[in-house]
Amino acid sequence: MGASPSLVLDPSAISLGVEQFSRWRERVSTAVADYARWLAESNLLDTQAENALLNILEKLDSDRLTLAFVAEFSRGKSELINALFFAEFDDRIVPSSAGRTTMCPTEFLWDGRSTPSIRLLPIETRGSDTSLAEYRSQPEHWHIFDFDPTEAASIKEAIAKVCETRVVPIEEAHALGLPARTEDMRSSLNVVEIPRWRHAIVNYPHPLFLQGLRVIDTPGLNAIGAEPELTHSLLPSAHGVVFLVAADAGVSASDMDIWQQHVQPLQTKYAVLNKIDGLWDDLRTEEEIDAQIASQVASVAAQLQIPMANVFPLSAQKALAARVREDNKLLKRSRIVAFEESITQALLPKRYQIISEQTGKAFGSVVQGLRFQLSEDQRLLSEQVYELQGLRGKNRNSIQQTAMRIRGERQDFEAGLRLMQGLKAAHGTQSKKVLDLVAIDNLKRHVRDARERIRESRLSTSLQSSMRNMIQVARKDLFDAQAEILELHNMMVGMHRAFNTQFGMTLPAPEEFSLQERLDEVDALAQMFERQFGTVSLLTNEKWVLTRKFFESIALELKKIYLQAIGEVSTWSRSLLSPIEGQLKSQQAQLSSRMETVKQVLEASDTLDERITQLQGEGSGIELQLAQIGQLSATVHGALVTR
């Protein structure tokens, strides 16, 4: 059946919110691009500013709002995803039935570089040490099935593959680090049923996915615990995590295991009390039903230790039926609209704030640097005009004395160049100290040492100490790098003062920088390790494989942190020299211009007024550029604060 848009029901709050969010990002991107275009046309776009602006635009374009759904099986998670995102097809698109349906983590998104399709990574890839993140960039390992995005049957057939399983010897399941438990795998003699796929990515041009929404659908407890990258990469990166429990059962023991191990440590989390239609009873009044639902909400909030406002009672099944039948009364009773409104109001303002702050800071730094340089150029022009005006009516001897003074300033300038060369050398040495500490080769050595210690002993204590040590030495690298960063900053503070005092510059205080955010990320990895493996006293074969994979995924996360640190340090370090180099360049140009003007005046005095007029015109041009910068930057900042 093809898609048939609803004629009765209003767009959901999530749809409206994400659409508004997408339009806002587009407005900000347009304003930043206009500023970059004007800089290029005005010959004011240097390499550093260009890279900074391109980075801002790339981040705005690639930003995704990620919403993850987590639950034990049979909690109605897939049905909720259907009700939220696929009701226009008048059918269940994501498999949703009794028992386990989704057998592997599944992402729903849109990537315009690929066709509408589902990409599936075979479960056998768990046998290698290659991470899930690395497999993402290796298309040859994925099975790709295209579908027609306008036909429900085509999409259903493709997405149904996430339910596929294989029957393998129990030894093979253990070798892959998969649990062989009767509650989630059918066991028979020495064979067990395991998922066919390790991970799925559904590339579907849903309007919300087109606008940057990504949805993560996770399987139950055993599958979550068996994929470490899901635990400490995909879920923590989500902007909101929705945890489902069933209204008829409340928070079960397995629900609590998932919550405590994988959801509770996350920042932004919500609980859905699903299947409240099971509490609907024709023999009770609506008030009595509401009271029972409220009691269940209070119980769930207390058990999960979250505010009651973060628990949403609803019926995903009735919400889907209401949207298919265009039944507003049933939709209201399902309570899904309240959930959509609350989740949108909770998530989007945070994304607005984070993007506004990050973009505003990065853009403001670019604008401030250019304004500072133009103001310095304007100051030097004013001084030159004042100097030339003082030559009016002067005799040849006075003009020659001015020329001699300029030559003396040039000698001072050359001393400044020599000081700059020394500063560059010292800056390079200190920057290298920082970058050497966070070099990838440094991390590789830590990982290699840990692997060797792990191979020497299969004892849990050896594995635990090796992983702890790897995280600790990585943290020490960042901590030591932070100390070297402070040394570099202090050195630049002193050099700025020296240039200002000795060479008449007007350099602002150098920008401060910290690796604290990266240190916090390492600490979060350490805490996650302690929660999951810190107290393990005995490792079975299955647990050993899983722990080894956890080790590799921790190493990958550390690599991401190091790469982020390298990029941030490099950008900050380069920015430290730019103001000095810019002012030296301006001084050099002004000295050459002044000397040339004095020579011309000595040869023909009638050129003096022409030169003064010309310089005043250049000053007026800079004044105009500063005004235009103010207007364009005001447009960007206006876009950032306008929702």
Side-chain angles (χ1 to χ4, degrees):
M1 181 182 295
S4 57
S6 171
L7 300 177
V8 176
L9 304 179
D10 293 331
S12 72
I14 293 179
S15 178
L16 292 174
V18 172
E19 181 181 356
Q20 183 182 19
F21 180 67
S22 178
R23 289 200 303 267
W24 172 74
R25 284 191 295 114
E26 289 176 3
R27 288 196 300 271
V28 175
S29 293
T30 298
V32 173
D34 287 345
Y35 180 76
R37 190 179 304 109
W38 176 81
L39 288 183
E41 293 171 352
S42 304
N43 295 318
L44 296 173
L45 186 62
D46 60 25
T47 301
Q48 184 176 339
E50 182 179 20
N51 290 337
L53 292 171
L54 287 175
N55 188 48
I56 291 172
L57 290 170
E58 182 180 347
K59 286 185 176 180
L60 286 169
D61 183 61
S62 61
D63 180 76
R64 291 186 187 274
L65 181 68
T66 301
L67 192 60
F69 292 82
V70 179
E72 188 59 288
F73 63 89
S74 296
R75 301 300 188 265
K77 175 171 45 64
S78 297
E79 190 80 331
L80 179 57
I81 292 174
N82 279 320
L84 291 171
F85 305 110
F86 295 102
E88 71 269 19
F89 283 99
D90 296 352
D91 200 353
R92 289 186 174 91
I93 298 300
V94 181
S96 176
S97 59
R100 289 192 64 172
T101 51
T102 303
M103 298 297 295
C104 66
T106 304
E107 296 179 56
F108 296 87
L109 50 81
W110 173 249
D111 183 347
R113 297 169 297 182
S114 302
T115 58
S117 60
I118 182 170
R119 297 171 58 204
L120 296 157
L121 186 65
I123 195 67
E124 291 79 10
T125 59
R126 287 180 55 85
S128 74
D129 287 333
T130 303
S131 68
L132 179 59
E134 291 171 316
Y135 274 124
R136 286 176 183 272
S137 60
Q138 300 175 11
E140 65 273 15
H141 294 286
W142 296 73
H143 293 227
I144 303 176
F145 299 90
D146 291 333
F147 56 74
D148 183 345
T150 66
E151 290 294 332
S154 178
I155 304 172
K156 282 183 64 175
E157 181 181 358
I159 297 180
K161 294 183 181 297
V162 300
C163 303
E164 294 177 345
T165 60
R166 291 179 53 217
V167 175
V168 300
I170 194 169
E171 293 80 7
E172 181 177 342
H174 286 162
L176 294 174
L178 294 171
R181 299 186 178 95
T182 56
E183 63 262 28
D184 64 291
M185 294 186 181
R186 294 195 298 270
S187 301
S188 174
L189 298 178
N190 292 321
V191 297
V192 293
E193 186 178 38
I194 65 172
R196 179 175 294 275
W197 310 108
R198 178 182 181 184
H199 197 82
I201 300 176
V202 178
N203 196 49
Y204 171 61
H206 186 285
L208 293 177
F209 304 157
L210 286 167
Q211 292 165 9
L213 180 67
R214 177 176 68 157
V215 171
I216 301 174
D217 182 11
T218 65
L221 172 63
N222 292 330
I224 293 178
E227 190 61 75
E229 285 179 72
L230 179 64
T231 303
H232 61 247
S233 181
L234 275 179
L235 290 183
S237 70
H239 302 107
V241 176
V242 179
F243 180 70
L244 280 77
V245 297
D248 55 355
V251 181
S252 68
S254 59
D255 289 331
M256 186 58 73
D257 284 344
I258 292 181
W259 177 265
Q260 292 178 337
Q261 292 185 40
H262 307 297
V263 181
Q264 191 174 46
L266 303 178
Q267 290 293 322
T268 308
K269 49 191 177 287
Y270 309 92
V272 163
L273 183 64
N274 193 24
K275 303 184 180 181
I276 61 170
D277 52 297
L279 303 178
W280 297 351
D281 187 341
D282 292 339
L283 299 180
R284 289 188 295 171
T285 66
E286 285 296 323
E287 290 75 13
E288 290 173 331
I289 295 172
D290 289 344
Q292 184 176 4
I293 292 174
S295 175
Q296 286 279 68
V297 167
S299 175
V300 169
Q303 288 178 277
L304 302 182
Q305 298 181 335
I306 59 175
M308 287 180 59
N310 284 17
V311 181
F312 302 96
L314 58 82
S315 170
Q317 192 274 331
K318 297 304 180 185
L320 177 61
R323 284 181 165 153
V324 169
R325 301 171 190 166
E326 300 178 351
D327 185 338
N328 273 316
K329 183 177 180 181
L330 181 60
L331 185 69
K332 182 178 180 181
R333 197 178 188 199
S334 75
R335 302 198 187 193
I336 195 171
V337 173
F339 166 72
E340 291 172 330
E341 290 175 347
S342 297
I343 207 78
T344 302
Q345 292 169 4
L347 293 181
L348 289 180
K350 293 181 181 179
R351 286 308 295 159
Y352 279 122
Q353 180 182 0
I354 292 172
I355 294 177
S356 291
E357 291 176 353
Q358 292 177 343
T359 303
K361 181 179 179 181
F363 180 76
S365 179
V366 174
V367 172
Q368 182 182 13
L370 181 57
R371 275 179 171 158
F372 174 78
Q373 188 57 54
L374 287 176
S375 296
E376 177 64 13
D377 291 345
Q378 193 176 42
R379 182 183 69 83
L380 293 174
L381 277 174
S382 298
E383 291 179 356
Q384 187 176 356
V385 168
Y386 179 78
E387 179 182 64
L388 293 180
Q389 287 173 335
L391 294 178
R392 282 178 172 148
K394 299 292 184 179
N395 58 31
R396 185 176 182 83
N397 184 54
S398 297
I399 298 174
Q400 287 176 335
Q401 288 179 351
T402 300
M404 290 178 63
R405 186 173 68 252
I406 295 173
R407 291 191 187 98
E409 290 180 25
R410 178 172 287 176
Q411 291 177 350
D412 291 339
F413 171 77
E414 289 172 354
L417 288 179
R418 289 191 294 272
L419 182 60
M420 183 63 186
Q421 290 302 316
L423 173 59
K424 281 186 175 180
H427 171 274
T429 299
Q430 189 64 26
S431 295
K432 186 175 184 300
K433 288 183 180 179
V434 180
L435 291 171
D436 283 349
L437 285 165
V438 293
I440 293 299
D441 285 344
N442 218 20
L443 175 63
K444 286 180 178 178
R445 184 174 65 255
H446 301 330
V447 174
R448 184 173 60 250
D449 291 345
R451 281 201 189 105
E452 289 176 358
R453 286 193 296 269
I454 290 173
R455 278 197 294 265
E456 290 172 359
S457 173
R458 288 178 63 94
L459 294 175
S460 61
T461 54
S462 173
L463 188 147
Q464 290 164 348
S465 63
S466 297
M467 292 184 72
R468 284 194 186 99
N469 183 69
M470 180 178 71
I471 296 173
Q472 288 169 358
V473 293
R475 192 186 194 286
K476 186 176 185 301
D477 283 345
L478 292 167
F479 185 82
D480 291 346
Q482 181 59 45
E484 297 295 342
I485 285 169
L486 182 59
E487 287 289 325
L488 178 55
H489 178 264
N490 290 339
M491 181 185 76
M492 293 305 300
V493 168
M495 294 307 299
H496 276 220
R497 289 172 181 165
F499 274 98
N500 287 343
T501 301
Q502 297 177 35
F503 306 107
M505 293 187 179
T506 56
L507 296 166
E511 181 182 358
E512 295 183 358
F513 173 71
S514 173
L515 285 173
Q516 188 58 51
E517 187 174 350
R518 307 286 82 81
L519 284 164
D520 291 343
E521 290 173 348
V522 174
D523 290 343
L525 286 177
Q527 292 167 10
M528 187 177 302
F529 163 71
E530 294 298 336
R531 283 196 305 270
Q532 296 200 27
F533 297 98
T535 59
V536 174
S537 58
L538 180 65
L539 291 178
T540 62
N541 286 338
E542 166 205 327
K543 199 71 173 180
W544 177 263
V545 174
L546 177 58
T547 308
R548 193 195 74 223
K549 296 192 74 62
F550 188 91
F551 169 84
E552 295 298 336
S553 61
I554 286 286
L556 179 65
E557 289 302 307
L558 288 173
K559 181 179 179 180
K560 293 178 184 177
I561 292 170
Y562 272 59
L563 288 173
Q564 184 77 8
I566 290 169
E568 292 171 343
V569 169
S570 298
T571 299
W572 172 73
S573 177
R574 287 193 300 267
S575 72
L576 293 174
L577 294 176
S578 296
I580 303 177
E581 290 175 329
Q583 288 208 18
L584 284 172
K585 183 178 179 181
S586 294
Q587 284 190 353
Q588 185 176 36
Q590 291 296 328
L591 284 169
S592 298
S593 174
R594 289 167 62 197
M595 182 58 73
E596 181 63 29
T597 299
V598 170
K599 286 181 179 179
Q600 291 176 0
V601 171
L602 284 171
E603 295 172 359
S605 60
D606 58 353
T607 62
L608 181 59
D609 288 337
E610 293 178 5
R611 182 58 178 159
I612 290 173
T613 301
Q614 179 185 352
L615 292 174
Q616 289 173 333
E618 291 177 11
S620 298
I622 292 178
E623 193 68 39
L624 178 60
Q625 287 178 329
L626 286 169
Q628 290 174 309
I629 289 173
Q631 294 172 357
L632 290 167
S633 62
T635 300
V636 173
H637 290 296
L640 285 171
V641 300
T642 303
R643 302 289 185 263

